[in-house]
Amino acid sequence: MAKVAMTVNGKSVSREVEGRTLLVQFLRDDLRLTGTHVGCDTSQCGACVVHVNGEAVKACTMFALEAEGAEVTTIEAMANEDGSLNVVQQAFQDYHGLQCGFCTPGMVMSATSLLKDNPKPTEQEIRDYLEGNICRCTGYHNIIKAIMAASGQDMPSMAAE
Amino acid sequence: MYAFDIERPTSIADAVAALAKEDAQALAGGQTLIPTLKQRLAMPSVLVSLSGIAEIRGVCKDDAGLLCIGGGTTHGTVAKEAVAHYPGLAELAAHIGDPAVRNRGTIGGSLANNDPSACYPAAALASGATILTNTREIAADDYFQGMFTTALEEGEIVTEVKFPIPQSSCYMKFEQPASRFALVGVFVAKFADGVKVAVTGASNNGVFRWSEAEAALSSDFSASALEGMSLSADDMIADMHGTAAYRAHLVAVMTRRAVSAAK
């Protein structure tokens, strides 16, 4: 066991963990932040995407000890301060960007990263960026629409459904 | 995963010392190693994380005009910071894995692993890059020694990669549709003194140079110079995703496309 300390959603946390403890296990099991999901556990699906020092990473493919001293942000910190949904989350609701919702935390975290780097992405850029986020309800069209809407763009040229 | 300890040295010297322990294994970005550990295909006693070593991160151009990339630099950083110097390489980095993988995976990790379908080995070989470690410099032509095999010794760390910058270049990848690894990837680099063509994903012997295509392209850098040229399927990988003959065919197609698109 070794001690790890990091900032999660603005709060300093410190725990004893095993070397093999994944960041996602640390978040879910030690901190009880279960909004970050584990879909595949093989770095394919992206349900576990969180931000580490502002960058999207797959929390199932990073050890908790590697996040020593890092700023980690999870889906639990994405809502507005008054508890209402933020612009990306609200767009997912408005455009029905989720069906079962399992992939949604990772989708929102990835979408947020994309919009930080590229505030007005094209439809193709959104599709490319979400390569590592899999929705097994296959609700991709509405996810793309939601992200377009969250970036303040219309979707007149969207592919047919 | 089997149990192991993790060490996070902050200097190359400390990392080398930590790697001297029995069954110690270097951990770069972990995007291949962690899935490997989950499958219990490796059983290190200690993982030596290289991500805390600031001196092996970063992209810059040296006085000799070489593009120098620290071994611990992520694909995402290369995609952003190499684009002004070596667009063909930046473009390759921008299409490895997915964005979250690119924020963790590193060039040093990719080159040390030398996966037969990895992208970076093709760029290093076609560029005539030099791989720097904590002890020596290794020319790319000597570095890659077959699938998952390199010139690296136990405990040796890739600290930097120096790329000569070609006049024009392009990497063309035919993605295996599920994994998005290269079913076949071809990197073409045109230098003043000749053209180099390196192929990944195709051969049982790992990344290799297609010398016949290099000779033809060095005298005429056009897709038509490759007309009728084909590779033997003898050493090509054959699996559920493609036969050896299919891969051999793809190498020629991807090479022609790379030449046409090179800039």
Side-chain angles (χ1 to χ4, degrees):
Chain A
M1 301 287 270
K3 191 179 165 201
V4 65
M6 67 186 87
T7 305
V8 178
N9 298 336
K11 286 202 298 210
S12 297
V13 295
S14 172
R15 292 284 193 285
E16 289 280 327
V17 297
E18 284 190 290
R20 61 182 166 180
T21 302
L22 297 165
L23 179 59
V24 74
Q25 293 170 329
F26 179 74
L27 295 170
R28 288 178 57 86
D29 301 343
D30 290 297
L31 305 184
R32 305 303 297 164
L33 293 171
T34 53
T36 302
H37 290 170
V38 180
C40 65
D41 201 29
T42 56
S43 22
Q44 312 286 316
C45 83
C48 67
V49 170
V50 299
H51 297 168
V52 175
N53 294 328
E55 291 188 322
V57 305
K58 291 182 170 173
C60 81
T61 311
M62 176 174 179
F63 294 113
L65 284 167
E66 292 184 280
E68 172 69 33
E71 300 261 350
V72 177
T73 306
T74 71
I75 189 69
E76 281 87 352
M78 298 308 283
N80 296 321
E81 280 188 15
D82 64 3
S84 60
L85 299 180
N86 81 1
V87 63
V88 176
Q89 293 171 309
Q90 187 61 51
F92 270 68
Q93 186 181 67
D94 292 346
Y95 289 85
H96 198 59
L98 59 151
Q99 291 176 47
C100 85
F102 192 89
C103 71
T104 310
M107 288 287 180
V108 169
M109 299 310 283
S110 283
T112 303
S113 281
L114 166 64
L115 296 180
K116 190 181 78 170
D117 290 347
N118 184 356
K120 300 281 179 202
T122 63
E123 179 193 338
Q124 192 57 49
E125 286 171 338
I126 297 172
R127 290 186 187 278
D128 288 347
Y129 199 89
L130 294 182
E131 177 165 353
N133 291 81
I134 295 174
C135 166
R136 280 303 66 154
C137 305
T138 68
Y140 294 105
H141 282 313
N142 286 350
I143 291 168
I144 310 298
K145 280 185 183 173
I147 297 170
M148 289 292 260
S151 66
Q153 302 184 89
D154 295 331
M155 306 73 75
S157 60
M158 281 278 296
E161 284 168 47
Chain B
M1 277 181 278
Y2 295 105
F4 49 78
D5 294 325
I6 291 187
E7 296 205 13
R8 286 198 85 216
T10 54
S11 70
I12 294 170
D14 288 350
V16 170
L19 283 168
K21 291 180 185 164
E22 196 172 345
D23 292 330
Q25 160 77 47
L27 169 66
Q31 302 303 288
T32 298
L33 181 56
I34 295 176
T36 305
L37 291 167
K38 287 179 181 178
Q39 294 180 65
R40 296 195 166 199
L41 294 173
M43 195 170 61
S45 59
V46 185
L47 284 189
V48 180
S49 167
L50 307 179
S51 58
I53 307 175
E55 63 189 302
I56 62 167
R57 285 199 297 267
V59 177
C60 69
K61 214 167 147 183
D62 73 2
D63 294 339
L66 300 172
L67 185 67
C68 304
I69 302 178
T73 311
T74 63
H75 312 323
T77 299
V78 174
K80 279 189 210 125
E81 298 186 11
V83 70
H85 309 292
Y86 190 165
L89 182 67
E91 187 71 11
L92 172 149
H95 291 92
I96 299 172
D98 60 53
V101 166
R102 293 194 286 275
N103 285 335
R104 294 292 302 165
T106 68
I107 187 169
S110 171
L111 293 177
N113 191 45
N114 192 20
D115 187 296
S117 296
C119 298
Y120 269 130
L125 198 54
S127 305
T130 304
I131 290 95
L132 280 65
T133 74
N134 52 303
T135 56
R136 58 191 169 135
E137 301 189 0
I138 310 167
D141 280 321
D142 302 324
Y143 177 87
F144 300 104
Q145 300 188 348
M147 214 180 251
F148 297 113
T149 310
T150 69
L152 293 176
E153 304 283 351
E154 284 287 313
E156 197 171 1
I157 299 169
V158 175
T159 54
E160 187 175 347
V161 188
K162 291 190 174 184
F163 288 90
I165 300 174
Q167 294 169 334
S168 64
S169 66
C170 182
Y171 178 62
M172 277 286 166
K173 169 163 70 167
F174 191 94
E175 290 177 350
Q176 197 265 82
S179 74
R180 307 294 174 100
F181 266 90
L183 194 63
V184 164
V186 178
F187 199 104
V188 171
K190 178 177 184 285
F191 290 90
D193 60 354
V195 175
K196 288 185 182 175
V197 177
V199 180
T200 189
S203 170
N204 282 316
N205 301 316
V207 68
F208 69 96
R209 282 173 61 185
W210 187 11
S211 45
E212 196 186 0
E214 291 183 352
L217 291 169
S218 293
S219 53
D220 174 14
F221 191 70
S222 70
S224 58
L226 301 169
E227 211 68 50
M229 198 177 282
S230 63
L231 266 177
S232 160
D234 287 349
D235 282 330
M236 295 288 150
I237 298 169
D239 58 21
M240 64 186 289
H241 307 296
T243 61
Y246 182 57
R247 278 189 168 81
H249 175 74
L250 272 181
V251 172
V253 173
M254 289 294 121
T255 306
R256 289 197 298 271
R257 287 186 189 172
V259 170
S260 298
K263 58 184 180 214

Coordinates of all heavy atoms in Angstrom, one line a residue, chain B residues 202-204 208 210 212 229-237 244-249 251-252:
Chain B
A202 N 2.1 -4.9 -41.3 CA 2.0 -5.9 -42.3 C 2.8 -7.1 -42.1 O 2.4 -8.3 -42.4 CB 2.4 -5.3 -43.7
S203 N 4.0 -7.0 -41.6 CA 5.0 -8.1 -41.6 C 5.1 -8.8 -40.3 O 5.0 -8.2 -39.2 CB 6.4 -7.5 -42.0 OG 7.3 -8.5 -41.8
N204 N 5.3 -10.1 -40.4 CA 5.7 -10.9 -39.2 C 7.0 -10.5 -38.5 O 7.3 -10.9 -37.4 CB 5.7 -12.4 -39.6 CG 4.4 -13.0 -39.7 OD1 3.5 -12.8 -38.9 ND2 4.2 -13.8 -40.8
F208 N 9.2 -2.5 -41.3 CA 10.3 -2.7 -42.3 C 10.4 -1.6 -43.3 O 9.3 -0.9 -43.5 CB 10.2 -4.1 -42.9 CG 9.1 -4.2 -43.9 CD1 9.3 -4.0 -45.2 CD2 7.8 -4.5 -43.4 CE1 8.2 -4.2 -46.1 CE2 6.7 -4.7 -44.3 CZ 6.9 -4.5 -45.7
W210 N 10.6 -0.7 -47.3 CA 10.4 -1.3 -48.6 C 11.4 -0.7 -49.6 O 11.1 0.4 -50.2 CB 8.9 -1.0 -49.0 CG 8.5 -1.7 -50.3 CD1 9.2 -2.7 -50.9 CD2 7.3 -1.5 -51.1 NE1 8.5 -3.1 -52.0 CE2 7.4 -2.4 -52.1 CE3 6.3 -0.6 -50.9 CZ2 6.4 -2.4 -53.1 CZ3 5.2 -0.6 -51.9 CH2 5.3 -1.5 -53.0
E212 N 12.7 -1.5 -52.5 CA 12.4 -1.4 -54.0 C 11.6 -0.2 -54.3 O 11.8 0.6 -55.2 CB 11.6 -2.7 -54.4 CG 11.5 -2.9 -55.8 CD 10.6 -4.1 -56.2 OE1 10.0 -4.7 -55.3 OE2 10.4 -4.4 -57.4
M229 N 4.4 -2.5 -59.1 CA 5.3 -3.0 -58.1 C 4.5 -3.7 -57.0 O 3.5 -3.1 -56.6 CB 6.1 -1.8 -57.6 CG 7.3 -2.2 -56.8 SD 8.2 -0.7 -56.3 CE 9.0 -0.2 -57.8
S230 N 4.9 -4.8 -56.6 CA 4.2 -5.5 -55.5 C 5.2 -6.1 -54.5 O 6.4 -6.4 -54.9 CB 3.2 -6.5 -56.0 OG 3.9 -7.5 -56.7
L231 N 4.7 -6.4 -53.3 CA 5.6 -7.1 -52.3 C 5.2 -8.6 -52.2 O 4.0 -8.9 -52.4 CB 5.3 -6.5 -51.0 CG 6.1 -5.3 -50.4 CD1 5.5 -4.9 -49.1 CD2 7.5 -5.7 -50.2
S232 N 6.2 -9.4 -51.9 CA 5.9 -10.8 -51.6 C 5.0 -10.9 -50.4 O 5.2 -10.2 -49.4 CB 7.2 -11.5 -51.5 OG 6.9 -12.7 -50.8
A233 N 4.1 -11.8 -50.4 CA 3.2 -12.1 -49.2 C 3.8 -13.0 -48.3 O 3.2 -13.3 -47.2 CB 1.8 -12.6 -49.7
D234 N 5.0 -13.5 -48.6 CA 5.6 -14.6 -47.8 C 5.7 -14.3 -46.3 O 5.4 -15.1 -45.4 CB 7.0 -14.9 -48.3 CG 7.0 -15.7 -49.6 OD1 5.8 -16.1 -50.0 OD2 8.0 -15.8 -50.2
D235 N 6.2 -13.1 -45.9 CA 6.4 -12.8 -44.5 C 5.3 -11.9 -43.9 O 5.4 -11.4 -42.8 CB 7.7 -12.0 -44.3 CG 8.9 -13.0 -44.4 OD1 8.7 -14.1 -44.0 OD2 10.0 -12.6 -44.8
M236 N 4.2 -11.8 -44.6 CA 3.1 -10.9 -44.2 C 2.3 -11.6 -43.1 O 2.1 -12.8 -43.1 CB 2.2 -10.5 -45.3 CG 2.9 -9.7 -46.4 SD 3.2 -8.0 -45.8 CE 4.7 -7.7 -46.7
I237 N 1.7 -10.8 -42.2 CA 0.8 -11.3 -41.1 C -0.5 -11.8 -41.8 O -1.0 -11.1 -42.7 CB 0.5 -10.2 -40.1 CG1 1.8 -9.7 -39.4 CG2 -0.5 -10.6 -39.1 CD1 1.6 -8.4 -38.6
A244 N -2.4 -12.7 -45.8 CA -1.1 -12.2 -46.1 C -1.1 -11.5 -47.5 O -0.5 -10.4 -47.6 CB -0.1 -13.4 -46.1
A245 N -1.8 -12.1 -48.4 CA -1.9 -11.5 -49.8 C -2.6 -10.1 -49.7 O -2.2 -9.2 -50.4 CB -2.6 -12.4 -50.7
Y246 N -3.6 -10.1 -48.9 CA -4.4 -8.8 -48.8 C -3.5 -7.7 -48.2 O -3.4 -6.6 -48.7 CB -5.6 -9.1 -47.9 CG -6.5 -7.9 -47.7 CD1 -7.1 -7.2 -48.7 CD2 -6.8 -7.4 -46.4 CE1 -7.9 -6.1 -48.5 CE2 -7.6 -6.3 -46.2 CZ -8.1 -5.7 -47.2 OH -9.0 -4.6 -47.1
R247 N -2.7 -8.1 -47.1 CA -1.8 -7.1 -46.5 C -0.7 -6.7 -47.5 O -0.4 -5.5 -47.6 CB -1.2 -7.7 -45.3 CG -2.1 -7.6 -44.1 CD -1.3 -7.9 -42.8 NE -2.0 -7.6 -41.6 CZ -3.0 -8.3 -41.0 NH1 -3.4 -9.4 -41.6 NH2 -3.6 -8.0 -39.9
A248 N -0.2 -7.6 -48.3 CA 0.8 -7.2 -49.3 C 0.3 -6.3 -50.3 O 0.9 -5.3 -50.7 CB 1.4 -8.5 -50.0
H249 N -1.0 -6.5 -50.7 CA -1.6 -5.6 -51.7 C -1.9 -4.3 -51.1 O -1.6 -3.2 -51.7 CB -3.0 -6.3 -52.1 CG -3.8 -5.4 -53.0 ND1 -3.5 -5.2 -54.3 CD2 -4.9 -4.7 -52.7 CE1 -4.4 -4.4 -54.8 NE2 -5.2 -4.0 -53.9
V251 N -0.2 -2.8 -48.8 CA 1.1 -2.0 -48.7 C 1.3 -1.2 -49.9 O 1.6 0.0 -49.8 CB 2.3 -2.9 -48.4 CG1 3.6 -2.1 -48.5 CG2 2.2 -3.6 -47.1
A252 N 1.1 -1.8 -51.1 CA 1.3 -1.0 -52.3 C 0.3 0.1 -52.5 O 0.6 1.2 -52.9 CB 1.3 -2.0 -53.5

